[in-house]
Amino acid sequence: MTYVKVCALSELEADTPKRVDVDGTPVSIVSTGGEVFAIKDICSHANVSLSEGEVEDCMIECWLHGSAFDLRTGKPSGLPATRPVPVYPVKIEGDDVLVSLTQES
């Protein structure tokens, strides 16, 4: 698996999504509950940026229609979204946050 550095861990605020670009793919990086997650930054229902939404209980909410996606699995919690959003493996090395797009979950 190939990992790419996307940001510094110290740049992340708890429960505040950070949008990054990984080889042309928009990804939202989220630090919550002591863990860091990477999820594709596009809502599967409305094609808008998830990083503009709020994070609570390991879920990121789409600001447009309110669908929430589990940061661990990408699965929506309810309508209007019905399809999951890809999530990506994350590694922390020192202060570096690395993400791999080669294996979507």
Side-chain angles (χ1 to χ4, degrees):
M1 227 181 305
T2 303
Y3 283 85
V4 176
K5 179 183 175 186
V6 295
C7 65
L9 186 58
S10 57
E11 293 175 20
L12 299 177
E13 291 183 43
D15 300 324
T16 303
K18 177 178 180 67
R19 182 184 173 114
V20 298
D21 180 77
V22 181
D23 297 329
T25 299
V27 177
S28 183
I29 307 296
V30 180
S31 174
T32 186
E35 295 184 75
V36 178
F37 299 93
I39 188 167
K40 189 167 187 179
D41 194 41
I42 303 294
C43 177
S44 63
H45 166 257
N47 199 31
V48 297
S49 176
L50 290 175
S51 63
E52 295 177 30
E54 295 187 14
V55 174
E56 186 175 338
D57 297 328
C58 215
M59 303 289 285
I60 189 166
E61 184 179 62
C62 176
W63 60 270
L64 188 58
H65 294 116
S67 288
F69 299 88
D70 190 308
L71 291 167
R72 297 163 292 212
T73 65
K75 292 181 181 174
S77 64
L79 298 174
T82 58
R83 291 177 290 124
V85 174
V87 295
Y88 307 105
V90 175
K91 273 197 321 190
I92 307 298
E93 291 182 352
D95 191 44
D96 295 338
V97 177
L98 300 105
V99 172
S100 175
L101 297 186
T102 56
Q103 181 183 357
E104 295 180 1
S105 299

Coordinates of all heavy atoms in Angstrom, one line a residue:
M1 N 0.8 -1.2 0.0 CA 0.0 0.0 0.0 C 0.9 1.2 0.0 O 1.8 1.3 0.7 CB -0.9 0.0 1.3 CG -2.3 0.3 1.0 SD -3.4 0.3 2.5 CE -3.1 -1.2 3.2
T2 N 0.5 2.2 -0.8 CA 1.3 3.5 -0.9 C 0.6 4.5 -0.1 O -0.6 4.8 -0.3 CB 1.4 3.9 -2.3 OG1 2.0 2.9 -3.1 CG2 2.2 5.2 -2.4
Y3 N 1.3 5.1 0.9 CA 0.7 6.2 1.7 C 1.3 7.6 1.3 O 2.5 7.6 0.9 CB 1.0 6.0 3.2 CG 0.2 4.9 3.8 CD1 0.5 3.6 3.7 CD2 -1.0 5.3 4.5 CE1 -0.3 2.6 4.3 CE2 -1.8 4.3 5.0 CZ -1.5 3.0 4.9 OH -2.3 2.0 5.5
V4 N 0.5 8.6 1.3 CA 0.8 9.9 1.0 C 0.6 10.8 2.2 O -0.5 10.8 2.8 CB 0.0 10.4 -0.2 CG1 0.3 11.9 -0.6 CG2 0.1 9.6 -1.4
K5 N 1.6 11.7 2.5 CA 1.4 12.7 3.6 C 0.4 13.7 3.1 O 0.5 14.3 2.1 CB 2.7 13.3 3.9 CG 2.6 14.4 5.0 CD 3.8 15.1 5.3 CE 3.5 16.2 6.4 NZ 4.6 17.1 6.6
V6 N -0.6 13.9 4.0 CA -1.7 14.9 3.7 C -1.7 16.1 4.5 O -2.2 17.2 4.1 CB -3.1 14.2 3.7 CG1 -3.2 13.1 2.6 CG2 -3.4 13.6 5.0
C7 N -1.2 16.0 5.8 CA -1.1 17.1 6.7 C -0.4 16.7 7.9 O 0.0 15.6 8.1 CB -2.6 17.6 7.0 SG -3.5 16.5 8.0
A8 N -0.2 17.7 8.8 CA 0.4 17.4 10.1 C -0.7 17.2 11.1 O -1.8 17.8 11.0 CB 1.2 18.6 10.5
L9 N -0.5 16.2 12.0 CA -1.5 15.9 13.0 C -1.8 17.2 13.9 O -2.9 17.4 14.2 CB -0.9 14.8 13.9 CG -1.8 14.2 15.0 CD1 -3.1 13.7 14.4 CD2 -1.1 13.2 15.8
S10 N -0.8 18.0 14.1 CA -0.9 19.2 14.9 C -1.8 20.2 14.2 O -2.3 21.2 14.8 CB 0.4 19.8 15.2 OG 1.1 20.1 14.0
E11 N -2.1 20.1 12.9 CA -3.0 21.0 12.1 C -4.5 20.7 12.4 O -5.3 21.5 12.1 CB -2.7 20.9 10.6 CG -1.4 21.4 10.2 CD -1.2 21.2 8.7 OE1 -2.2 21.0 8.0 OE2 0.0 21.2 8.3
L12 N -4.7 19.5 12.8 CA -6.1 19.0 13.0 C -6.7 19.5 14.3 O -6.1 19.3 15.3 CB -6.2 17.5 12.9 CG -5.7 16.9 11.6 CD1 -5.8 15.4 11.6 CD2 -6.5 17.4 10.4
E13 N -7.9 20.0 14.2 CA -8.7 20.3 15.4 C -9.7 19.2 15.6 O -10.3 18.7 14.6 CB -9.5 21.7 15.2 CG -8.6 22.9 15.1 CD -9.4 24.1 15.0 OE1 -10.5 24.3 15.7 OE2 -9.1 25.0 14.1
A14 N -9.9 18.8 16.8 CA -10.9 17.8 17.1 C -12.3 18.1 16.5 O -12.8 19.2 16.7 CB -11.0 17.5 18.6
D15 N -12.9 17.1 15.9 CA -14.2 17.2 15.3 C -14.4 18.3 14.3 O -15.5 18.7 14.1 CB -15.2 17.3 16.5 CG -15.2 16.2 17.4 OD1 -15.0 15.0 17.0 OD2 -15.4 16.4 18.6
T16 N -13.3 18.7 13.6 CA -13.3 19.7 12.6 C -12.7 19.1 11.3 O -11.5 18.9 11.3 CB -12.6 21.0 13.0 OG1 -13.2 21.5 14.2 CG2 -12.7 22.0 11.9
P17 N -13.5 18.8 10.3 CA -13.0 18.2 9.1 C -12.0 19.1 8.4 O -12.2 20.3 8.4 CB -14.2 18.0 8.2 CG -15.4 18.0 9.1 CD -15.0 19.0 10.2
K18 N -11.0 18.5 7.8 CA -10.0 19.3 7.0 C -10.0 18.6 5.6 O -9.7 17.4 5.4 CB -8.6 19.2 7.6 CG -7.5 19.9 6.8 CD -6.2 19.8 7.5 CE -5.1 20.5 6.7 NZ -5.3 21.9 6.6
R19 N -10.3 19.4 4.6 CA -10.2 18.9 3.2 C -8.8 19.0 2.7 O -8.1 20.0 2.8 CB -11.2 19.8 2.3 CG -11.2 19.3 0.9 CD -12.1 20.2 0.0 NE -12.0 19.8 -1.4 CZ -13.0 19.3 -2.1 NH1 -14.2 19.2 -1.5 NH2 -12.9 19.0 -3.3
V20 N -8.4 17.8 2.1 CA -7.1 17.7 1.4 C -7.3 17.1 0.0 O -8.4 16.5 -0.2 CB -6.1 16.9 2.2 CG1 -5.8 17.6 3.6 CG2 -6.6 15.5 2.4
D21 N -6.3 17.2 -0.8 CA -6.4 16.6 -2.1 C -5.3 15.5 -2.2 O -4.1 15.8 -1.9 CB -6.1 17.7 -3.2 CG -6.1 17.1 -4.6 OD1 -7.2 16.8 -5.1 OD2 -5.0 16.8 -5.1
V22 N -5.7 14.3 -2.5 CA -4.7 13.2 -2.6 C -4.8 12.7 -4.0 O -5.7 12.0 -4.4 CB -5.1 12.1 -1.6 CG1 -4.1 10.9 -1.7 CG2 -5.2 12.6 -0.2
D23 N -3.7 13.0 -4.8 CA -3.7 12.6 -6.2 C -4.9 12.9 -6.9 O -5.4 12.0 -7.7 CB -3.3 11.1 -6.3 CG -1.9 10.8 -5.7 OD1 -1.0 11.7 -5.7 OD2 -1.7 9.7 -5.1
G24 N -5.5 14.1 -6.7 CA -6.7 14.5 -7.4 C -8.0 14.0 -6.8 O -9.1 14.4 -7.3
T25 N -8.0 13.3 -5.7 CA -9.2 12.9 -5.0 C -9.4 13.7 -3.8 O -8.5 13.8 -2.9 CB -9.0 11.4 -4.6 OG1 -8.9 10.6 -5.7 CG2 -10.3 10.9 -3.8
P26 N -10.6 14.4 -3.6 CA -10.8 15.2 -2.5 C -11.1 14.2 -1.3 O -11.9 13.3 -1.4 CB -12.1 16.0 -2.8 CG -12.8 15.1 -3.9 CD -11.7 14.4 -4.6
V27 N -10.4 14.5 -0.2 CA -10.5 13.6 1.0 C -10.7 14.5 2.2 O -10.1 15.6 2.4 CB -9.2 12.8 1.2 CG1 -9.3 12.0 2.5 CG2 -9.0 11.9 0.0
S28 N -11.6 14.1 3.1 CA -11.8 14.8 4.4 C -11.1 14.1 5.5 O -11.3 12.9 5.7 CB -13.3 14.9 4.7 OG -13.5 15.7 5.9
I29 N -10.2 14.8 6.2 CA -9.4 14.2 7.3 C -10.1 14.7 8.6 O -10.3 15.9 8.8 CB -8.0 14.6 7.3 CG1 -7.3 14.3 5.9 CG2 -7.2 14.0 8.4 CD1 -7.3 12.9 5.6
V30 N -10.4 13.7 9.5 CA -11.1 14.1 10.7 C -10.4 13.4 11.9 O -10.2 12.2 11.9 CB -12.6 13.6 10.7 CG1 -13.3 14.0 12.0 CG2 -13.3 14.2 9.5
S31 N -10.1 14.2 12.9 CA -9.6 13.8 14.2 C -10.8 13.8 15.2 O -11.4 14.9 15.4 CB -8.5 14.6 14.7 OG -8.1 14.3 16.0
T32 N -11.2 12.6 15.7 CA -12.3 12.6 16.7 C -12.1 11.4 17.6 O -11.6 10.3 17.1 CB -13.6 12.5 15.9 OG1 -14.7 12.6 16.9 CG2 -13.8 11.2 15.1
G33 N -12.4 11.5 18.8 CA -12.3 10.5 19.8 C -10.9 9.9 19.9 O -10.7 8.7 20.2
G34 N -9.8 10.7 19.6 CA -8.5 10.2 19.7 C -8.0 9.4 18.5 O -6.9 8.9 18.5
E35 N -8.8 9.3 17.4 CA -8.4 8.6 16.2 C -8.5 9.6 15.0 O -9.2 10.6 15.1 CB -9.4 7.5 15.9 CG -9.3 6.4 17.0 CD -10.2 5.2 16.6 OE1 -9.8 4.4 15.7 OE2 -11.2 5.0 17.2
V36 N -7.8 9.3 13.9 CA -7.9 10.1 12.7 C -8.5 9.2 11.6 O -8.1 8.1 11.4 CB -6.5 10.6 12.3 CG1 -6.6 11.4 11.0 CG2 -5.9 11.5 13.5
F37 N -9.4 9.8 10.9 CA -10.1 9.1 9.8 C -10.0 9.9 8.5 O -9.8 11.1 8.5 CB -11.6 9.0 10.1 CG -11.8 8.2 11.4 CD1 -12.0 8.8 12.6 CD2 -11.9 6.8 11.4 CE1 -12.2 8.1 13.8 CE2 -12.2 6.1 12.5 CZ -12.3 6.7 13.7
A38 N -10.0 9.1 7.4 CA -10.0 9.7 6.0 C -11.2 9.2 5.3 O -11.5 7.9 5.2 CB -8.8 9.4 5.3
I39 N -12.0 10.1 4.8 CA -13.3 9.7 4.0 C -13.3 10.6 2.8 O -12.9 11.7 2.8 CB -14.5 9.9 4.9 CG1 -15.8 9.3 4.3 CG2 -14.7 11.3 5.3 CD1 -17.0 9.2 5.2
K40 N -13.8 10.0 1.7 CA -13.9 10.8 0.5 C -14.8 12.0 0.8 O -15.8 11.9 1.4 CB -14.5 10.0 -0.7 CG -14.4 10.7 -2.0 CD -14.7 9.8 -3.2 CE -14.5 10.5 -4.5 NZ -14.7 9.6 -5.6
D41 N -14.4 13.1 0.3 CA -15.0 14.4 0.7 C -16.2 14.8 -0.2 O -16.5 15.9 -0.4 CB -14.0 15.5 0.7 CG -14.5 16.8 1.3 OD1 -15.1 16.7 2.4 OD2 -14.2 17.9 0.8
I42 N -16.9 13.8 -0.8 CA -18.0 14.0 -1.6 C -19.2 13.2 -1.1 O -19.1 11.9 -1.0 CB -17.7 13.7 -3.1 CG1 -16.5 14.4 -3.6 CG2 -18.9 13.9 -4.0 CD1 -16.7 15.9 -3.7
C43 N -20.3 13.8 -0.8 CA -21.5 13.1 -0.4 C -22.0 12.3 -1.5 O -22.1 12.7 -2.7 CB -22.6 14.2 0.0 SG -24.2 13.4 0.5
S44 N -22.4 11.0 -1.2 CA -22.9 10.1 -2.2 C -24.3 10.5 -2.7 O -24.7 9.9 -3.7 CB -22.8 8.7 -1.7 OG -23.7 8.5 -0.6
H45 N -24.9 11.3 -2.0 CA -26.3 11.7 -2.4 C -26.3 13.0 -3.2 O -27.0 13.1 -4.2 CB -27.2 11.9 -1.2 CG -28.5 12.6 -1.4 ND1 -28.7 13.9 -1.1 CD2 -29.6 12.1 -2.0 CE1 -29.9 14.2 -1.5 NE2 -30.5 13.2 -2.1
A46 N -25.6 14.0 -2.8 CA -25.7 15.3 -3.4 C -24.5 15.9 -4.1 O -24.5 17.0 -4.5 CB -26.2 16.3 -2.4
N47 N -23.4 15.1 -4.1 CA -22.1 15.6 -4.7 C -21.6 16.9 -4.2 O -21.3 17.8 -4.9 CB -22.3 15.6 -6.2 CG -21.0 15.7 -7.0 OD1 -20.0 15.1 -6.5 ND2 -21.0 16.3 -8.1
V48 N -21.7 17.1 -2.8 CA -21.2 18.3 -2.2 C -20.1 17.9 -1.2 O -20.0 16.7 -0.8 CB -22.3 19.1 -1.5 CG1 -23.3 19.7 -2.5 CG2 -23.0 18.3 -0.4
S49 N -19.3 18.9 -0.7 CA -18.2 18.6 0.2 C -18.7 18.2 1.6 O -19.3 19.0 2.2 CB -17.3 19.8 0.2 OG -16.3 19.6 1.1
L50 N -18.2 17.1 2.1 CA -18.6 16.7 3.4 C -17.8 17.4 4.5 O -18.2 17.6 5.6 CB -18.3 15.2 3.6 CG -19.3 14.2 2.9 CD1 -18.8 12.8 3.1 CD2 -20.7 14.4 3.4
S51 N -16.6 18.0 4.1 CA -15.8 18.7 5.0 C -16.4 20.0 5.5 O -15.9 20.6 6.5 CB -14.4 18.9 4.5 OG -14.4 19.8 3.3
E52 N -17.5 20.4 4.9 CA -18.2 21.6 5.3 C -19.3 21.3 6.3 O -19.9 22.1 6.9 CB -18.8 22.3 4.1 CG -17.8 22.8 3.1 CD -18.4 23.5 1.9 OE1 -19.5 24.0 2.0 OE2 -17.8 23.4 0.8
G53 N -19.4 20.0 6.6 CA -20.4 19.5 7.6 C -19.8 19.4 9.0 O -18.7 19.7 9.3
E54 N -20.7 18.9 9.9 CA -20.3 18.8 11.3 C -20.0 17.3 11.6 O -20.5 16.4 11.0 CB -21.4 19.3 12.2 CG -21.6 20.8 12.0 CD -22.6 21.4 13.0 OE1 -22.9 20.7 14.0 OE2 -23.0 22.5 12.8
V55 N -19.2 17.2 12.7 CA -18.8 15.8 13.1 C -19.3 15.6 14.5 O -19.1 16.5 15.4 CB -17.2 15.7 13.1 CG1 -16.8 14.3 13.7 CG2 -16.7 15.8 11.7
E56 N -19.9 14.5 14.8 CA -20.4 14.1 16.1 C -20.5 12.6 16.2 O -21.1 12.0 15.2 CB -21.8 14.8 16.4 CG -22.2 14.6 17.8 CD -23.5 15.3 18.1 OE1 -23.8 16.3 17.4 OE2 -24.2 14.9 19.0
D57 N -20.1 12.0 17.3 CA -20.2 10.6 17.5 C -19.6 9.7 16.3 O -20.3 8.8 15.9 CB -21.6 10.2 17.8 CG -22.1 10.8 19.1 OD1 -21.3 11.0 20.0 OD2 -23.4 11.1 19.1
C58 N -18.5 10.1 15.8 CA -17.8 9.4 14.7 C -18.6 9.4 13.4 O -18.5 8.5 12.6 CB -17.4 8.0 15.1 SG -15.9 7.5 14.4
M59 N -19.5 10.4 13.2 CA -20.3 10.6 12.0 C -20.0 12.0 11.5 O -19.8 12.9 12.2 CB -21.8 10.5 12.3 CG -22.2 9.2 13.0 SD -22.2 7.8 11.9 CE -23.6 8.1 10.9
I60 N -19.9 12.1 10.1 CA -19.8 13.4 9.5 C -21.1 13.6 8.7 O -21.6 12.8 8.0 CB -18.6 13.4 8.6 CG1 -18.3 14.9 8.1 CG2 -18.7 12.4 7.4 CD1 -17.0 15.1 7.4
E61 N -21.7 14.8 9.0 CA -23.0 15.1 8.4 C -22.8 16.0 7.2 O -22.1 17.0 7.2 CB -23.8 15.8 9.4 CG -25.2 16.1 8.9 CD -26.1 16.8 10.0 OE1 -25.7 17.9 10.4 OE2 -27.1 16.2 10.4
C62 N -23.6 15.7 6.1 CA -23.6 16.5 4.9 C -24.4 17.7 5.2 O -25.6 17.6 5.7 CB -24.2 15.7 3.8 SG -24.4 16.7 2.3
W63 N -23.9 18.9 5.0 CA -24.5 20.2 5.3 C -25.8 20.4 4.5 O -26.6 21.2 4.9 CB -23.5 21.3 5.2 CG -23.0 21.5 3.8 CD1 -21.9 20.9 3.3 CD2 -23.6 22.3 2.8 NE1 -21.7 21.3 2.0 CE2 -22.7 22.1 1.6 CE3 -24.7 23.1 2.7 CZ2 -23.0 22.7 0.4 CZ3 -25.0 23.7 1.5 CH2 -24.1 23.5 0.4
L64 N -25.9 19.8 3.3 CA -26.9 20.2 2.4 C -28.3 19.5 2.7 O -29.3 20.2 2.8 CB -26.5 19.8 0.9 CG -27.5 20.3 -0.1 CD1 -27.7 21.8 -0.1 CD2 -27.0 19.9 -1.5
H65 N -28.3 18.2 3.0 CA -29.5 17.5 3.2 C -29.5 16.7 4.5 O -30.5 16.0 4.8 CB -29.9 16.5 2.1 CG -30.2 17.2 0.8 ND1 -29.4 17.1 -0.3 CD2 -31.1 18.1 0.4 CE1 -29.9 17.8 -1.3 NE2 -30.9 18.5 -0.9
G66 N -28.4 16.8 5.3 CA -28.4 16.1 6.6 C -28.0 14.7 6.7 O -28.1 14.1 7.8
S67 N -27.7 14.0 5.6 CA -27.2 12.6 5.6 C -25.9 12.6 6.4 O -25.1 13.5 6.3 CB -27.0 12.1 4.3 OG -28.2 11.8 3.6
A68 N -25.8 11.6 7.3 CA -24.6 11.4 8.1 C -23.9 10.1 7.7 O -24.6 9.1 7.4 CB -24.9 11.5 9.5
F69 N -22.6 10.2 7.6 CA -21.8 9.0 7.2 C -20.8 8.6 8.4 O -20.2 9.5 9.0 CB -21.0 9.3 6.0 CG -21.9 9.6 4.8 CD1 -22.3 11.0 4.6 CD2 -22.3 8.7 3.9 CE1 -23.1 11.3 3.5 CE2 -23.2 9.0 2.9 CZ -23.5 10.3 2.7
D70 N -20.8 7.3 8.6 CA -19.9 6.8 9.6 C -18.4 6.9 9.1 O -18.1 6.5 8.0 CB -20.2 5.3 9.9 CG -19.5 4.7 11.1 OD1 -18.2 4.9 11.2 OD2 -20.1 4.1 11.9
L71 N -17.6 7.6 9.9 CA -16.2 7.8 9.5 C -15.4 6.5 9.5 O -14.4 6.4 8.8 CB -15.5 8.8 10.5 CG -16.0 10.2 10.4 CD1 -15.5 11.0 11.6 CD2 -15.6 10.9 9.1
R72 N -15.8 5.5 10.1 CA -15.1 4.2 10.1 C -15.5 3.3 8.9 O -14.6 2.6 8.4 CB -15.4 3.4 11.4 CG -15.0 4.1 12.7 CD -15.7 3.5 13.9 NE -17.1 3.9 13.8 CZ -17.9 4.1 14.8 NH1 -17.4 4.0 16.1 NH2 -19.1 4.5 14.7
T73 N -16.7 3.4 8.5 CA -17.2 2.5 7.4 C -17.7 3.3 6.1 O -17.8 2.6 5.1 CB -18.4 1.7 7.9 OG1 -19.5 2.5 8.2 CG2 -18.0 0.9 9.1
G74 N -18.0 4.5 6.3 CA -18.5 5.3 5.2 C -20.0 5.1 4.9 O -20.6 5.7 4.1
K75 N -20.6 4.2 5.7 CA -22.1 3.9 5.5 C -22.9 5.1 6.0 O -22.7 5.7 7.1 CB -22.4 2.6 6.3 CG -21.8 1.4 5.7 CD -22.2 0.2 6.4 CE -21.5 -1.0 5.8 NZ -21.8 -2.3 6.6
P76 N -24.0 5.4 5.3 CA -24.9 6.4 5.7 C -25.8 5.9 6.8 O -26.1 4.8 6.9 CB -25.8 6.7 4.5 CG -25.7 5.5 3.7 CD -24.4 4.8 4.0
S77 N -26.2 6.9 7.7 CA -27.1 6.5 8.8 C -28.5 6.6 8.5 O -29.4 6.1 9.3 CB -26.8 7.4 10.0 OG -27.1 8.7 9.8
G78 N -28.8 7.2 7.4 CA -30.2 7.3 7.0 C -30.4 8.2 5.7 O -29.4 8.6 5.2
L79 N -31.6 8.3 5.3 CA -31.9 9.1 4.1 C -31.6 10.5 4.2 O -31.5 11.0 5.3 CB -33.4 8.9 3.8 CG -33.8 7.4 3.5 CD1 -35.4 7.3 3.4 CD2 -33.2 6.9 2.3
P80 N -31.4 11.2 3.1 CA -31.6 10.8 1.8 C -30.5 9.9 1.1 O -30.7 9.3 0.1 CB -31.8 12.0 1.0 CG -31.0 13.1 1.7 CD -31.1 12.7 3.2
A81 N -29.3 9.9 1.7 CA -28.2 9.1 1.2 C -28.5 7.6 1.4 O -29.0 7.2 2.4 CB -26.9 9.4 1.8
T82 N -28.2 6.8 0.4 CA -28.4 5.3 0.5 C -27.1 4.6 0.2 O -27.0 3.4 0.5 CB -29.5 4.9 -0.5 OG1 -29.1 5.2 -1.8 CG2 -30.8 5.4 -0.1
R83 N -26.1 5.3 -0.5 CA -24.8 4.6 -0.8 C -23.7 5.1 0.1 O -23.7 6.3 0.5 CB -24.4 5.0 -2.3 CG -25.4 4.3 -3.3 CD -25.0 4.7 -4.7 NE -25.3 6.1 -4.9 CZ -24.5 7.1 -5.3 NH1 -23.3 6.8 -5.6 NH2 -24.9 8.3 -5.5
P84 N -22.8 4.2 0.5 CA -21.7 4.6 1.3 C -20.7 5.5 0.6 O -20.7 5.5 -0.6 CB -21.0 3.3 1.8 CG -21.5 2.3 0.7 CD -22.8 2.8 0.2
V85 N -19.9 6.2 1.4 CA -18.8 7.0 0.8 C -17.5 6.2 1.1 O -17.3 5.7 2.2 CB -18.8 8.4 1.5 CG1 -17.6 9.2 1.1 CG2 -20.1 9.1 1.2
P86 N -16.5 6.2 0.2 CA -15.3 5.4 0.4 C -14.5 6.0 1.6 O -14.5 7.2 1.8 CB -14.5 5.6 -0.8 CG -15.5 5.9 -1.9 CD -16.6 6.7 -1.2
V87 N -13.9 5.1 2.5 CA -13.0 5.5 3.5 C -11.7 4.9 3.2 O -11.6 3.9 2.5 CB -13.5 5.1 4.9 CG1 -14.8 5.8 5.3 CG2 -13.7 3.6 5.0
Y88 N -10.6 5.6 3.7 CA -9.3 5.2 3.4 C -8.4 5.0 4.6 O -8.6 5.6 5.6 CB -8.6 6.3 2.5 CG -9.5 6.7 1.3 CD1 -10.2 7.9 1.4 CD2 -9.5 5.9 0.2 CE1 -10.9 8.3 0.3 CE2 -10.3 6.3 -0.9 CZ -11.0 7.5 -0.9 OH -11.8 7.9 -1.9
P89 N -7.5 4.0 4.5 CA -6.5 3.8 5.6 C -5.7 5.0 5.9 O -5.3 5.7 5.1 CB -5.7 2.6 5.1 CG -6.4 2.0 3.9 CD -7.2 3.2 3.3
V90 N -5.5 5.2 7.3 CA -4.7 6.3 7.8 C -3.5 5.7 8.6 O -3.7 4.8 9.4 CB -5.5 7.3 8.6 CG1 -4.7 8.3 9.3 CG2 -6.7 7.9 7.8
K91 N -2.4 6.3 8.5 CA -1.2 6.0 9.3 C -0.7 7.3 9.9 O -0.7 8.4 9.2 CB -0.1 5.4 8.5 CG -0.1 4.0 8.4 CD 1.2 3.3 8.0 CE 2.1 4.0 7.0 NZ 3.2 3.1 6.5
I92 N -0.3 7.3 11.2 CA 0.3 8.5 11.8 C 1.8 8.1 12.0 O 2.1 7.1 12.6 CB -0.3 8.8 13.2 CG1 -1.9 8.9 13.0 CG2 0.3 10.0 13.8 CD1 -2.3 10.0 12.1
E93 N 2.7 9.0 11.5 CA 4.1 8.8 11.7 C 4.7 10.1 12.3 O 4.8 11.1 11.6 CB 4.8 8.4 10.4 CG 4.5 7.1 9.9 CD 5.2 6.7 8.7 OE1 5.9 7.5 8.1 OE2 5.1 5.5 8.2
G94 N 4.9 10.1 13.6 CA 5.3 11.3 14.3 C 4.2 12.3 14.2 O 3.1 12.0 14.7
D95 N 4.4 13.5 13.6 CA 3.3 14.5 13.4 C 2.7 14.4 12.0 O 1.9 15.2 11.7 CB 3.9 15.9 13.7 CG 2.8 16.9 13.8 OD1 1.8 16.7 14.5 OD2 3.0 18.0 13.2
D96 N 3.1 13.4 11.2 CA 2.6 13.3 9.9 C 1.3 12.4 9.8 O 1.3 11.3 10.4 CB 3.6 12.8 8.9 CG 4.8 13.7 8.7 OD1 4.7 14.9 9.0 OD2 5.9 13.2 8.3
V97 N 0.3 12.9 9.1 CA -0.9 12.1 8.8 C -0.7 11.6 7.3 O -0.6 12.4 6.4 CB -2.2 12.9 8.9 CG1 -3.4 12.1 8.6 CG2 -2.3 13.4 10.4
L98 N -0.8 10.3 7.2 CA -0.6 9.7 5.8 C -1.9 8.9 5.5 O -2.5 8.3 6.3 CB 0.6 8.8 5.8 CG 1.9 9.4 6.1 CD1 2.4 9.1 7.5 CD2 3.0 9.0 5.1
V99 N -2.3 9.0 4.2 CA -3.5 8.3 3.7 C -3.1 7.5 2.5 O -2.3 7.9 1.7 CB -4.6 9.4 3.3 CG1 -5.7 8.7 2.7 CG2 -5.0 10.1 4.6
S100 N -3.7 6.3 2.4 CA -3.6 5.5 1.2 C -4.9 5.4 0.4 O -5.9 5.1 1.0 CB -3.1 4.1 1.6 OG -3.1 3.3 0.5
L101 N -4.8 5.7 -0.9 CA -6.0 5.5 -1.7 C -6.0 4.2 -2.4 O -6.9 3.9 -3.1 CB -6.1 6.6 -2.8 CG -6.2 8.1 -2.3 CD1 -6.4 9.0 -3.4 CD2 -7.3 8.2 -1.3
T102 N -4.9 3.4 -2.2 CA -4.8 2.2 -3.0 C -5.7 1.1 -2.5 O -6.0 0.1 -3.1 CB -3.4 1.6 -3.0 OG1 -3.0 1.5 -1.6 CG2 -2.4 2.6 -3.7
Q103 N -6.3 1.2 -1.3 CA -7.2 0.2 -0.7 C -8.3 0.9 0.0 O -8.3 1.4 1.1 CB -6.5 -0.7 0.3 CG -7.4 -1.7 0.8 CD -6.7 -2.6 1.9 OE1 -5.6 -2.4 2.2 NE2 -7.5 -3.4 2.5
E104 N -9.4 1.1 -0.8 CA -10.6 1.7 -0.2 C -11.3 0.7 0.7 O -11.3 -0.5 0.4 CB -11.6 2.2 -1.3 CG -11.0 3.3 -2.1 CD -12.0 3.8 -3.2 OE1 -13.1 3.2 -3.3 OE2 -11.7 4.7 -3.9
S105 N -12.0 1.2 1.7 CA -12.8 0.3 2.6 C -14.2 0.4 2.2 O -14.7 1.4 1.7 CB -12.6 0.6 4.0 OG -11.2 0.4 4.4

